[in-house]
Amino acid sequence: MNINPYENALTQLDAAAKIIKLDEGLHEFLRTPKRVLTVSLPIKMDNGKIKVFTGYRVQHNDARGPYKGGIRYHPNVTLDEVKALATWMTWKCAITDIPLGGGKGGIVCDPKSMSISELERLTRRYAYAISDIIGAEVDVPAPDVYTSSREMAWIMDTYSTLKGKMVPGVITGKPLSIGGSKGRAEATGKGLAFCVREAAKKINLNIKGANVAIQGFGNAGTYSARFLHEMGANIIAVSDSTSGIYNSDGLDVEEVIAHKAKTGKVRGVAKSKEITNLQLLQIECDILVPAAYENQITKDNAKDIKAKIIAEAANGPTTPDADKLLYKNGKMVIPDILANAGGVTVSYFEWVQNLTRDYWSHEKVINMLEEKMVNAFNDVYNTANEYEKELRMGSMILAINRVVEAINDRGIWP
Ligand code: GLU
C-alpha cells in the first residue's frame, strides 16, 4: 500500500487544529503551501544523450522568517512528499524557535547511478531553475537525503555567479571553505542525542548501557550512533537500504562507519549477524532510531516494537495510525520535528554567520545547539503535558501556536 506523506502531514495538522480549536481560515492557510514550483531539467548525460529530470521547490510558510529546508535527490521523490517535508520544516523551525519558515526541494533522480559530472550539471541546472524564488532573505535550501556539502557548494556557486557576487547565505550545509559552519555535518545526530538524553531522564532510563537500534546509516543515522555511543549506549543493530547487522553485545560504531565508507554497506562487519530492516524495527532494545525514510513504522509493525523510546531521525517515519498504537502501548515517540531539528538549527547558525561574516568555534556552535535542543524538548514536553497528549501532539500544538501568533501579528494583507 502506498502511504501519502502529505496526507499524513495534514492528518497531524488537522488533529492538532481540532484540539486547539484553530480558526477555520487559519487552518486552511496552514494546510496549503504558499508556493509550489515544478521545474523540468534537461541534462546532457555523459553518453551525449539528453535526459529530462523533474525538480520541485515547495515554500510552505514564511510567517516567522525565510523559507528553510533541504533538497532531496531520490527516484521516489513526489510533489506530495516535498509538500509534506516543507510543512514539517515550518513546524520544526517554530519548535526550535528559530526565525525561519518551512520549505523543501527535491529532484526525481537516482544519484547512485549518475556520475559526479552528471550530478553537477543536474544540480547547477536545478539551482538556475529555482534561482528566482530562493535567496538569503527569501528561501534558504540545505542538504537532505542523498545531497551533501558538495551539492550545496555547486548551488551556492551557481546562484552567486548568476547574481554577480558571492552569496553564501543562500544555502546552508556548505563546505567550511566557503562559509559552512563548524558542527553542521554532525548537527542532526548531535541534536537527536541531546533529545534522547532528555527523554531518558523523564522515564528514568539510564543511557549508559541502554541498547539502541538504528534504521538507516546515512548522515543522521551515523552521527546518532556515534553520539549515543559516546553517551554510553550500546548500539546493538544498524541497517542501510540493503540490510541490517546485529550484535547483542554492541557493535563497534567506528568499525561500522569505516566498513560502510569502504564497502558502501553495513553488511559484513565482523562479529555481526545479518538481519532485515523489519527485524531491526522489532528488535529487543531500549531506544529505536528510525533514520531512513517516511512510513517505516506502520500499523502492521508498530505493535511489535519493543523499544521504550522511538527517536525519529528521519522525517515522517511513523504513520498516524502507527503513532496511535505506539502511544497506546506506552512508548515515548520523540517526533521528527523535534528529534531531527538539530540539523536546521545549526543551518540557522550557519546562515547567521554568513550574514554577519563572523565565524564561530565548534564549541560555541555545539553549546548553542544543546541549549536550543534542551529548550525545544522541554517546551514540547510541557505542552504535551498541559494538553495530556503525546509528544507529537505537543510539538504540533506548540509549533502551530507559534506560527499562528506570527501570522496574526503580521495580519493578512491586503
Ligand atoms: N534536511 C534537513 C531537515 O529535514 C535540514 C534542513 C535545513 O538545514 O535547512 O531538517
Side-chain angles (χ1 to χ4, degrees):
M1 192 181 61
N2 248 344
I3 309 166
N4 182 327
Y6 190 47
E7 275 167 27
N8 290 350
L10 293 179
T11 303
Q12 294 164 349
L13 167 61
D14 295 349
K18 198 165 158 196
I19 290 168
I20 59 171
K21 300 191 177 60
L22 181 64
D23 170 85
E24 224 177 277
L26 287 168
H27 184 187
E28 195 57 32
F29 189 165
L30 297 178
R31 287 185 114 248
T32 335
K34 269 181 102 172
R35 177 149 56 180
V36 173
L37 178 67
T38 303
V39 291
S40 87
L41 309 164
I43 304 302
K44 190 148 313 148
M45 305 302 279
D46 290 346
N47 64 9
K49 294 209 170 101
I50 295 168
K51 201 167 160 186
V52 182
F53 294 84
T54 302
Y56 305 107
R57 185 73 191 167
V58 173
Q59 298 176 332
H60 175 257
N61 188 282
D62 66 345
R64 292 171 42 88
Y67 304 102
K68 186 83 193 80
I71 297 168
R72 172 173 296 204
Y73 288 3
H74 198 275
N76 299 339
V77 163
T78 63
L79 180 55
D80 270 358
E81 182 192 37
V82 181
K83 281 161 84 172
L85 291 162
T87 309
W88 288 325
M89 286 310 301
T90 301
W91 312 142
K92 214 181 280 189
C93 294
I95 287 169
T96 47
D97 206 8
I98 56 180
L100 294 165
K104 200 84 177 195
I107 303 181
V108 189
C109 67
D110 179 11
K112 285 187 182 164
S113 71
M114 295 171 69
S115 70
I116 292 180
S117 59
E118 287 170 343
L119 280 171
E120 178 169 356
R121 289 195 290 280
L122 179 62
T123 304
R124 288 185 182 276
R125 184 73 193 205
Y126 174 74
Y128 161 75
I130 64 166
S131 61
D132 280 345
I133 66 159
I134 61 170
E137 274 149 12
V138 188
D139 180 354
V140 184
D144 196 73
V145 172
Y146 289 133
T147 58
S148 66
S149 57
R150 181 182 68 185
E151 286 75 19
M152 303 307 109
W154 291 331
I155 294 176
M156 195 279 272
D157 181 67
T158 307
Y159 184 85
S160 297
T161 305
L162 287 167
K163 299 290 164 194
K165 59 179 179 189
M166 182 165 170
V167 190
V170 69
I171 199 158
T172 59
K174 298 179 294 295
L176 288 178
S177 62
I178 51 170
S181 175
K182 296 198 171 102
R184 176 62 186 88
E186 67 266 37
T188 309
K190 195 91 202 174
L192 181 128
F194 289 138
C195 278
V196 170
R197 184 189 70 194
E198 297 308 302
K201 282 186 209 159
K202 302 287 185 200
I203 62 163
N204 288 324
L205 172 74
N206 194 347
I207 292 220
K208 287 209 175 71
N211 286 334
V212 180
I214 302 181
Q215 185 202 39
F217 216 58
N219 174 287
T222 309
Y223 284 110
S224 298
R226 182 174 276 168
F227 296 126
L228 288 170
H229 180 66
E230 274 178 22
M231 286 177 178
N234 282 328
I235 314 300
I236 58 164
V238 301
S239 69
D240 56 30
S241 55
T242 34
S243 64
I245 52 171
Y246 170 70
N247 180 340
S248 58
D249 296 330
L251 295 158
D252 179 335
V253 174
E254 295 310 316
E255 189 189 332
V256 181
I257 294 173
H259 181 88
K260 166 104 181 164
K262 207 165 112 201
T263 66
K265 295 188 169 50
V266 296
R267 172 187 286 149
V269 166
K271 288 189 268 159
S272 71
K273 191 179 132 212
E274 195 166 324
I275 54 170
T276 64
N277 260 298
L278 182 63
Q279 284 172 321
L280 181 136
L281 292 176
Q282 301 173 338
I283 225 156
E284 193 69 57
C285 65
D286 301 300
I287 300 161
L288 173 66
V289 181
Y293 296 105
E294 294 96 79
N295 301 328
Q296 297 301 303
I297 303 177
T298 64
K299 64 177 184 340
D300 300 325
N301 60 30
K303 59 184 184 312
D304 299 315
I305 286 180
K306 319 229 174 16
K308 301 176 187 78
I309 293 176
I310 295 121
E312 297 183 336
N315 289 310
T318 309
T319 65
D321 287 344
D323 232 3
K324 280 189 200 144
L325 275 173
L326 293 173
Y327 188 46
K328 206 175 102 202
N329 292 344
K331 311 294 182 192
M332 188 180 213
V333 178
I334 313 175
D336 46 6
I337 50 178
L338 168 63
N340 71 31
V344 74
T345 299
V346 177
S347 272
Y348 162 59
F349 298 156
E350 178 174 334
W351 180 69
V352 171
Q353 292 172 78
N354 294 154
L355 298 182
T356 58
R357 263 63 171 173
D358 176 31
Y359 287 87
W360 309 340
S361 69
H362 187 263
E363 195 191 356
K364 175 169 172 168
V365 170
I366 300 301
N367 286 342
M368 287 175 67
L369 171 65
E370 179 168 13
E371 193 185 326
K372 276 277 180 212
M373 295 309 296
V374 172
N375 286 345
F377 183 89
N378 287 318
D379 287 351
V380 166
Y381 190 83
N382 293 338
T383 311
N385 277 353
E386 189 188 321
Y387 286 85
E388 295 175 7
K389 297 287 175 197
E390 75 280 20
L391 293 185
R392 169 125 32 225
M393 190 56 79
S395 67
M396 286 297 301
I397 292 173
L398 177 71
I400 294 170
N401 280 337
R402 286 185 177 163
V403 175
V404 162
E405 188 185 354
I407 294 174
N408 283 335
D409 285 343
R410 290 177 67 150
I412 306 280
W413 183 82

